[in-house]
Amino acid sequence: MPLLAFTALLLAASQTTALNNGVGRTPAMGWNSWNRFGCNITEEIIKEHADDLVTSGLAKLGYVYVNIDDCWQLTRDENGYIHEDPVAFPSGIAALSDYVHSKGLKFGLYSSAGTKTCAGRPGGLRFEKQDAESYANWKIDYFKYDNCNSEGLGDKPGTIRRYGALRDALNATGRPINYALCSWGDNNVWEFGADLGNSWRTTGDISDSWSSVFDIISKNLNLAKYAAPGGFNDMDMLEVGNGHMSDIEYRTHFSVWAALKSPLLLGHDITKMTQATMEIIGNKDVIAINQDPLGKSAFLRAVLENVFVWVGELTKGERVLLVVNTADHEISVDILMRAFTISDKDAISSFKWKVKAKDLWTKKSVGVFKGKLRLDAIPPHGVRMLKLARKDGDFPSLENPPAFYDTPIKIVGESLSILWLLSAILVVVAVGAALVHLEYKRRQQYQPLP
Ligand SMILES: *[C@@H]1O[C@H](CO)[C@@H](O)[C@H](O)[C@H]1NC(C)=O
Ligand SMILES: *[C@@H]1O[C@H](CO)[C@@H](O)[C@H](O)[C@H]1NC(C)=O
């Protein structure tokens, strides 16, 4: 019987249909307690954040999930039901959920698909039925399922079993719950995640540093094709506003997460937010890219030196262009229009296209371009993000784009440095020739007499 159930799970997992729970058609947006508060959470902190999501205007921009991460739970009773920490959550999770809902927001919880959570609280493994029942009774809308203490079930079949068991238990409650897998990218979870959940973490945990953001970006370079309405690559919760990156780096972090259709779950203290943070996470145009109903991730179109170029399809035939400078110096680039096609035929005609561009960070129209787009002075670790529309027709479709096709980008100033290099080589050759000539002369002078 267990073998039969297991085979059934495997069969279900091998079907191509995505999780059909009706939610997560665009990436989830909201706030999560972990990055800023870790285990130090109380119902007061959660309520304040619910309040401030509304008063700050963030809820109106789409940040509606209020998700409690690890450490809300403390014990399991003799019937296997989970209970909250009575000191941190004296009014109970059900009351907190009601409070969050009363603000017009949605409520999320956390556990681990193991015997214990990552912080050592009771985990969900083998209690899926009781947990799903509690979660539905508490009217949760989002559930993050971590990967700690998986008891030897960390391989692919074990992962499908653990995460599939809760998926089925949640489904059986009849409540649509956005189900977020947090299995850290293990076993290439993107290849089977869509059968299990509405999103799947593609890497280990983020930290508030540029090196962490860069590392996560470099592990998500080829995952665009796995993102679709109902199932997205999750690059982890945001660090914008936590204080250890520059605003330029936070803007890049936010832009890439948005264009690659990662959930946008804020991870800072909203009650003490600066205006600069609000300007980043509150950028309507960038949010609109993330929430575009087409649900297609931008894909990596080119890499040249330290410059990464992503291109993505949007509804209404528009395109998003995202250019990240990972170098420690400023760079200017030309993006050739053939960056927006993957066929040779269109590449030739692309030089005649008239393309209208809007810069999503300056929020200004930057004109109509032909042949190429010049992006000047992208700062170190900075980004340029544009929305493009053709004035003279439609962009060709980017269906099933290959990871690389050509390099439709030129670093501006490069040709100058090549000239310098050539001159340097000429000088070296000239000096060398002169030395050889002198040596020849010297040897002639001291030719021994016959
Ligand atoms: C449960 O799964 C079925 C089959 O995929 C689906 O049609 C239904 O919408 C799901 N219900 C919920 C609440 O997830
Ligand atoms: C939680 O509180 C402990 C003890 O005060 C502290 O050491 C830890 O850094 C705090 N964690 C976070 C994420 O704030």
Side-chain angles (χ1 to χ4, degrees):
M1 181 56 195
L3 184 68
L4 205 69
F6 184 52
T7 313
L9 267 179
L10 278 184
L11 275 178
S14 63
Q15 284 164 6
T16 48
T17 50
L19 190 67
N20 196 13
N21 60 0
V23 292
R25 305 303 295 172
T26 59
M29 289 177 68
W31 176 81
N32 172 295
S33 56
W34 186 258
N35 285 356
R36 173 62 185 78
F37 296 97
C39 242
N40 307 331
I41 42 169
T42 61
E43 67 182 39
E44 262 334 292
I45 292 177
I46 307 303
K47 281 170 139 181
E48 278 173 11
H49 277 77
D51 295 347
D52 283 18
L53 275 176
V54 175
T55 54
S56 63
L58 286 169
K60 269 219 179 76
L61 292 169
Y63 296 97
V64 293
Y65 287 102
V66 177
N67 295 344
I68 310 183
D69 208 278
D70 209 344
C71 300
W72 61 269
Q73 65 284 74
L74 193 63
T75 51
R76 219 175 253 293
D77 65 26
E78 65 280 9
N79 297 318
Y81 287 94
I82 193 87
H83 293 276
E84 60 276 76
D85 180 335
V87 175
F89 296 92
S91 314
I93 293 296
L96 189 52
S97 172
D98 285 346
Y99 184 85
V100 169
H101 286 126
S102 77
K103 297 270 159 182
L105 302 169
K106 294 174 189 288
F107 185 66
L109 281 181
Y110 162 103
S111 185
S112 180
T115 50
K116 285 183 172 166
T117 69
C118 300
R121 305 297 174 98
L125 191 64
R126 290 187 274 277
F127 294 98
E128 293 85 359
K129 203 175 155 298
Q130 288 98 324
D131 281 354
E133 212 181 289
S134 302
Y135 301 154
N137 286 340
W138 295 335
K139 305 195 202 82
I140 76 163
D141 308 292
Y142 188 100
F143 191 75
K144 171 180 170 183
Y145 212 20
D146 216 330
N147 198 30
C148 287
N149 304 302
S150 60
E151 298 277 293
L153 294 171
D155 60 357
K156 182 175 168 181
T159 298
I160 291 172
R161 236 167 99 186
R162 288 181 296 127
Y163 286 87
L166 187 67
R167 169 199 58 192
D168 295 341
L170 290 175
N171 181 280
T173 69
R175 185 173 176 85
I177 294 170
N178 193 315
Y179 182 33
L181 318 179
C182 179
S183 64
W184 315 327
D186 288 0
N187 311 298
N188 293 353
V189 62
W190 42 85
E191 290 169 357
F192 57 94
D195 293 316
L196 293 170
N198 298 105
S199 63
W200 45 88
R201 278 274 301 281
T202 55
T203 68
D205 283 7
I206 194 171
S207 64
D208 187 15
S209 66
W210 171 253
S211 64
S212 171
V213 163
F214 181 72
D215 182 57
I216 292 176
I217 292 173
S218 45
K219 287 175 176 152
N220 280 270
L221 295 181
N222 292 311
L223 304 184
K225 66 170 182 245
Y226 300 104
F232 295 100
N233 296 304
D234 180 352
M235 300 170 76
D236 206 358
M237 286 111 41
L238 297 163
E239 292 283 6
V240 182
N242 278 332
H244 293 97
M245 283 182 257
S246 67
D247 288 338
I248 286 176
E249 291 168 336
Y250 281 140
R251 213 170 286 139
T252 301
H253 169 28
F254 190 71
S255 301
V256 179
W257 266 235
L260 271 53
K261 307 282 146 117
S262 173
L264 297 179
L265 295 170
L266 306 169
H268 64 296
D269 185 342
I270 297 174
T271 68
K272 300 190 182 83
M273 180 169 46
T274 64
Q275 187 58 32
T277 297
M278 183 65 192
E279 274 165 22
I280 296 171
I281 61 176
N283 185 318
K284 278 186 190 166
D285 290 320
V286 176
I287 291 171
I289 300 294
N290 181 254
Q291 296 295 306
D292 186 272
L294 203 57
K296 274 191 158 187
S297 168
F299 72 97
L300 187 69
R301 183 64 177 84
V303 179
L304 188 58
E305 294 179 19
N306 298 297
V307 180
F308 289 69
V309 179
W310 286 268
V311 167
E313 281 185 276
L314 305 169
T315 46
K316 295 186 280 173
E318 293 176 319
R319 296 288 180 268
V320 60
L321 170 69
L322 179 72
V323 181
V324 172
N325 172 16
T326 66
D328 292 325
H329 56 271
E330 191 178 276
I331 289 182
S332 299
V333 296
D334 281 333
I335 306 292
L336 307 186
M337 286 306 173
R338 62 188 161 87
F340 302 97
T341 166
I342 47 173
S343 88
D344 291 322
K345 186 169 92 12
D346 292 324
I348 293 165
S349 60
S350 72
F351 289 94
K352 290 182 267 166
W353 296 348
K354 281 193 205 150
V355 175
K356 194 174 71 175
K358 180 181 180 187
D359 185 314
L360 302 187
W361 284 110
T362 65
K363 300 180 185 162
K364 290 196 177 104
S365 166
V366 285
V368 177
F369 296 82
K370 225 172 152 183
K372 68 184 181 191
L373 258 159
R374 165 72 52 92
L375 304 177
D376 265 325
I378 309 175
H381 303 177
V383 70
R384 206 52 56 84
M385 192 173 191
L386 296 121
K387 192 168 78 174
L388 307 161
R390 260 188 78 185
K391 293 197 72 176
D392 55 343
D394 296 323
F395 283 110
S397 162
L398 294 170
E399 212 57 63
N400 298 319
F404 289 98
Y405 159 80
D406 58 357
T407 305
I409 165 175
K410 287 200 172 83
I411 309 281
V412 178
E414 188 92 310
S415 49
L416 194 69
S417 59
I418 284 176
L419 275 184
W420 278 108
L421 188 70
L422 282 179
S423 331
I425 290 172
L426 273 178
V427 168
V428 168
V429 167
V431 169
L435 285 176
V436 167
H437 181 70
L438 283 177
E439 177 67 9
Y440 177 72
K441 283 269 208 166
R442 193 178 64 84
R443 288 197 183 175
Q444 266 188 342
Q445 241 167 10
Y446 297 102
Q447 204 68 242
L449 290 170

